[in-house]
Amino acid sequence: MAAPVVRGVRKLLKLVNFTRVPRRHRYKKKWATTEPEFPASRLALQNFDMTYSVQYGDLWPSIRVSLLSEQKYGALVNNFAAWDNVSAKLEQLSAKDFVNEAISCQEPESGLSPVPPPNCSPNLRCFTFSRGDVSRFPPARLGSLGLMEYYLMDAASLLPVLALGLQPGDTVLDLCAAPGGKTLALLQTGCCRNLAANDLSTSRTGRLQKVLHSYVPQDIRKGNQVRITSWDGRKWGELEGDTYDRVLVDVPCTTDRHSLHEEENNLFQRSRKKERQTLPMLQVQLLAAGLLATKPGGHVVYCTCSLSHLQNEYVVQGAIELLANQYSIKVQVEDLSHFRKLFMDTFCFFPSCQVGELVIPNLMANFGPMYFCKMHRLP
Ligand SMILES: C[S@@+](CC[C@H](N)C(=O)[O-])C[C@H]1O[C@@H](n2cnc3c(N)ncnc32)[C@H](O)[C@@H]1O
């Protein structure tokens, strides 16, 4: 608004509030309590416009419109249900298993059948509609074995689990696990000798319990194989240091897509400003704890559903420095560029991450954002 107009509006407000009202009856409008708050989703968009237009330059308008449009889902097949029937049903909808499609398109070595690339978790089947097809999956149903047939999730959320590269017999920690999409995917690999699934929030670990109850047979849930806890993940290094083969650190973040569409639990509410500002610090602490909980020689995947460099690459670099300086532990970032090549038909990747990989939303493939970075704790 131009300055004279603003001054005019102010004058008008003064007139409305004070003209001809006797002094003792004057009141001052209580803006904070009487006016509806500026919606948090609008604040999120303002914030993203400021920061991401600088970070992403010419790419930002296309990412922005995709973030504001309907996202696409993937259907993670439940291997504990009758997976071959479920896969056939999903194929009838003209959806394709993007994981196995990518693997089978690789050039097999001298007549051998295609094998998953090294360090890619096995046995995961996730169906998506092809590029530009915005069909939706019907809600999942209970299958013949009494378990839900598939789990609907942002298909890009499967990439951190694939990148973790589980091997049969691994001990695995999912440090921030709720509501449980990635925990479920970790169990689908059939590789977890035992899996510790933790989340600070007890209400959210309740949701995780429900997901596992609907998708995983009782003998796996109730045996020693899965342990669910509600601890502060930042303390994990002290609680169980040098313990796990693989650790997933899926930290709380600005959840960019959610922040643009939902008012509830939105981190851009004015009252949560401090929490927002301290988020990268919490993320560094959680990643450092995850690295400390890993056995020397083990692997960690860090991920967020944010486009912010401050929450992605900077956190990875911060945690690696912290471990080197405070614990003399060396951590190496692993190259995941083969993932970009392997899954380029399904996702749109940002081409120039300094460390890790980032799926950026695109109208033809509206998944993500999903940042993931794999680290090796050196022996
Ligand atoms: C991005 S969500 C995790 C999503 C989950 N991995 C999935 O795939 O469904 C981040 C989670 O971190 C949890 N969290 C926040 N602070 C934490 C802490 N200090 N320790 C452990 N978990 C924390 C939140 O409760 C939230 O559920």
Side-chain angles (χ1 to χ4, degrees):
M1 219 183 280
V5 180
V6 174
R7 274 200 295 276
V9 171
R10 280 202 195 122
K11 264 189 190 163
L12 195 67
L13 287 173
K14 266 191 183 169
L15 284 172
V16 169
N17 280 336
F18 298 124
T19 314
R20 285 196 293 275
V21 178
R23 197 175 174 80
R24 63 199 154 92
H25 290 139
R26 279 182 197 172
Y27 73 98
K28 214 172 177 186
K29 207 169 181 189
K30 288 183 188 145
W31 292 100
T33 51
T34 53
E35 289 297 298
E37 235 189 75
F38 194 64
S41 50
R42 289 287 302 280
L43 283 176
L45 187 59
Q46 278 185 355
N47 181 296
F48 296 161
D49 276 334
M50 269 190 304
T51 50
Y52 296 157
S53 56
V54 177
Q55 260 183 237
Y56 294 98
D58 290 348
L59 280 178
W60 173 235
S62 122
I63 301 176
R64 184 187 200 268
V65 75
S66 311
L67 273 176
L68 290 168
S69 309
E70 194 174 334
Q71 82 177 107
K72 280 182 83 167
Y73 282 88
L76 173 69
V77 174
N78 188 5
N79 290 335
F80 301 116
W83 67 263
D84 38 359
N85 290 343
V86 179
S87 298
K89 276 191 207 169
L90 292 167
E91 268 160 22
Q92 275 172 12
L93 298 173
S94 304
K96 286 184 181 143
D97 174 358
F98 84 83
V99 183
N100 290 296
E101 181 113 318
I103 291 168
S104 58
C105 282
Q106 289 193 116
E107 293 240 323
E109 269 177 46
S110 57
L112 296 173
S113 56
V115 284
N119 303 323
C120 187
S121 300
N123 303 328
L124 292 167
R125 300 176 176 89
C126 185
F127 283 73
T128 52
F129 292 104
S130 51
R131 255 175 196 268
D133 181 346
V134 292
S135 311
R136 293 185 205 162
F137 290 102
R141 288 196 330 208
L142 209 58
S144 54
L145 302 176
L147 296 168
M148 298 296 277
E149 293 185 323
Y150 53 82
Y151 184 85
L152 292 179
M153 65 198 297
D154 184 331
S157 295
L158 203 62
L159 297 177
V161 178
L162 284 162
L164 200 51
L166 262 65
Q167 304 288 315
D170 273 346
T171 51
V172 183
L173 167 64
D174 187 354
L175 195 60
C176 306
K182 297 186 193 72
T183 313
L184 180 63
L186 289 167
L187 285 170
Q188 297 295 320
T189 64
C191 288
C192 304
R193 178 149 57 93
N194 44 59
L195 170 68
N198 175 69
D199 198 284
L200 181 64
S201 155
T202 45
S203 63
R204 285 171 70 89
T205 41
R207 282 173 64 192
L208 169 67
Q209 298 265 21
K210 280 193 191 139
V211 168
L212 297 191
H213 188 268
S214 310
Y215 285 85
V216 180
Q218 192 174 3
D219 54 326
I220 294 181
R221 275 185 287 120
K222 295 274 156 84
N224 290 336
Q225 204 178 332
V226 184
R227 175 174 56 130
I228 298 178
T229 50
S230 272
W231 299 340
D232 185 340
R234 288 175 288 186
K235 308 229 166 81
W236 215 282
E238 299 149 40
L239 297 169
E240 284 184 327
D242 307 344
T243 303
Y244 294 91
D245 298 303
R246 316 266 157 180
V247 177
L248 182 65
V249 185
D250 182 14
V251 291
C253 68
T254 42
T255 50
D256 294 357
R257 202 183 271 276
H258 171 93
S259 295
L260 290 177
H261 292 276
E262 307 280 338
E263 285 305 302
E264 209 185 312
N265 197 24
N266 191 317
L267 198 62
F268 288 85
Q269 284 159 3
R270 285 189 198 281
S271 58
R272 300 182 72 182
K273 188 171 176 191
K274 184 106 196 275
E275 200 183 327
R276 216 166 59 234
Q277 286 168 339
T278 53
L279 198 56
M281 172 91 88
L282 170 64
Q283 293 164 336
V284 169
Q285 289 170 325
L286 284 166
L287 176 53
L291 286 161
L292 289 170
T294 311
K295 283 178 189 165
H299 292 86
V300 173
V301 168
Y302 171 80
C303 60
T304 75
C305 47
S306 167
L307 291 160
S308 157
H309 290 342
L310 273 181
Q311 297 175 56
N312 297 338
E313 286 113 309
Y314 287 15
V315 168
V316 169
Q317 280 155 350
I320 291 177
E321 269 172 37
L322 190 144
L323 255 78
N325 297 338
Q326 289 194 12
Y327 300 91
S328 302
I329 291 175
K330 283 197 182 133
V331 174
Q332 203 171 51
V333 170
E334 297 211 339
D335 178 27
L336 288 176
S337 54
H338 58 288
F339 259 62
R340 214 189 309 159
K341 278 188 221 117
L342 200 59
F343 298 117
M344 67 184 202
D345 286 346
T346 306
F347 303 103
C348 181
F349 287 91
F350 181 57
S352 31
C353 278
Q354 281 177 11
V355 287
E357 295 294 337
L358 173 67
V359 171
I360 50 175
N362 177 287
L363 281 180
M364 297 295 279
N366 207 353
F367 300 106
M370 178 55 55
Y371 172 79
F372 56 108
C373 180
K374 185 172 187 180
M375 282 150 270
H376 182 203
R377 177 171 163 180
L378 297 180

